[in-house]
Amino acid sequence: QILPVAHTKVHPDQKLGESVQQLLLTKIAVYLMTFLIVTVAWTAHVRLFQVIELIDDVLALLNLACMMVITFLPYTFSLMASFPEVPFGIFLFSVCAIVIGLIQAVIVVYGFHHPHLLNQDINSVNHDACKHHILKIILRGPALCFLAAISSFFFIPLSYVFLGLVIVLPHLTRFLMWCKTKIVGQRDEEEEQHSSETFTFYLSEPLSKERVEAFSDGVYAIVATLLICDICEDNVADPRDVEEKFHGSLLEALSEYGPNYLAYFGSFVTIGLLWFVHHSLFLYVIKPTRLMGLLNIFSLAFIGGLPLAYQLTSEFAEKSHNEIEAIQVSCVITFFASIFQFAIWTTALLHERETLHPFARYGGKEHAFMFAKLALYPCVSLGAFFLTCLLSEFSTAVFHLMQIVIPFAFLALRIFVRISLTVIKSVMSLSRQKVVLLEEEEACLSPTET
């Protein structure tokens, strides 16, 4: 999903106002929606193989078929984004999602037909009821995709509504169940039965911390790899051009790619530091909640847009019509990728006893340091965005200065936080001493003097 949006090409002489409306916004919107649908399918797959613990040859082949269809999704996404008014792209994407759901349903039926493959907890419940419950949840997405495929030939916006329901419906169902519990004050027997089952699919327990970290690390690794592939593929001088234009001087030929190298190193450092912040955050997380998992997916979706930011800033580093707008798009992508990380931390603090290690809870040194670390990228990217509006002539310099300064800011941040905490503790200690002295003086005074 990341690769097609990363290779979005906007001509340097084209006005970006049209490009954003016709190209970038459409492609980014479709990318975010399809990325979230893929994460829904991935979550279902994870839950599915929590129920089915042992895998034989048939399940391995079914899983391979499912993975093959999933790898075809980026092509359908490219068709959707490149031809938004043609129904074939959205129809093909919906068909792939239907096939994935049907294969998952076949895995469920096969697994329950061979009970020795199931989790031990499943063997202790009613197999038929559990199987029907899992099939109902798995086939809900393909049913919505079927409606999206049909409506794509009549009214394309309605197709996107159905695809959006694939993302929203699990969370909406959970919210309605929560409202029912709060209003009625009790659960019906069917809900009690569902809550006791292992396969939850956002309906009960969230994914484990290890699963969230593994998926996140995979996305960061792919994004970094795409940056490396782009710099290796597009920024190597042709031997004939070196001989004819630069008289055999390779260094002089490579100097033309200076803005591309600068954009590459800046983008790679941004991805690396965002991964570092993500790693530091989950180092203190004991158990993520459902909302934390959802915010993490939103953050990863914008992380996937960083190769696009590299493409824009490397192509428009020279003075052109699109320079300011391209840099502002990059700042917005960085801001949202980091602000969702900050939102994960805020959400964790609301349930700190269940989610956070004691060292990182309110009032501690690590809490202050994590707060400052997570707030750094949102503040700097937002500041760079507004500076490019005010100092349009220096927009490229401001953006690259932001990318260069932030690593040093991370190094200085812990020292700054320690000094600030020491000063605050000293001030509070002096205040307490003054209060104690005043109380002692009042105690020494006689009643008449008082």
Side-chain angles (χ1 to χ4, degrees), residues 238-310:
D238 186 82
R240 293 183 180 179
D241 292 338
V242 174
E243 291 293 334
E244 295 175 2
K245 296 181 180 179
F246 303 99
H247 308 289
S249 176
L250 181 59
L251 291 177
E252 188 177 349
L254 293 177
S255 63
E256 287 196 347
Y257 298 104
N260 301 61
Y261 296 141
L262 184 60
Y264 161 74
F265 284 112
S267 300
F268 194 91
V269 167
T270 301
I271 293 171
L273 289 177
L274 286 173
W275 170 82
F276 167 70
V277 172
H278 185 275
H279 172 72
S280 302
L281 171 61
F282 276 87
L283 191 65
Y284 293 117
V285 171
I286 300 173
K287 181 182 178 182
T289 63
R290 287 181 301 277
L291 182 56
M292 290 168 64
L294 182 62
L295 293 171
N296 184 63
I297 289 173
F298 280 121
S299 176
L300 294 177
F302 283 97
I303 290 293
L306 287 175
L308 172 63
Y310 159 73

Side-chain angles (χ1 to χ4, degrees), residues 279-351:
H279 172 72
S280 302
L281 171 61
F282 276 87
L283 191 65
Y284 293 117
V285 171
I286 300 173
K287 181 182 178 182
T289 63
R290 287 181 301 277
L291 182 56
M292 290 168 64
L294 182 62
L295 293 171
N296 184 63
I297 289 173
F298 280 121
S299 176
L300 294 177
F302 283 97
I303 290 293
L306 287 175
L308 172 63
Y310 159 73
Q311 293 285 347
L312 293 175
T313 54
S314 63
E315 290 182 5
F316 304 140
E318 298 294 333
K319 302 296 180 184
S320 66
H321 295 294
N322 299 329
E323 177 189 0
I324 301 173
E325 289 83 356
I327 289 173
Q328 289 177 345
V329 169
S330 302
C331 290
V332 168
I333 292 173
T334 306
F335 172 77
F336 280 105
S338 56
I339 198 65
F340 280 115
Q341 288 184 341
F342 187 82
I344 295 171
W345 173 251
T346 307
T347 306
L349 288 174
L350 296 176
H351 309 279

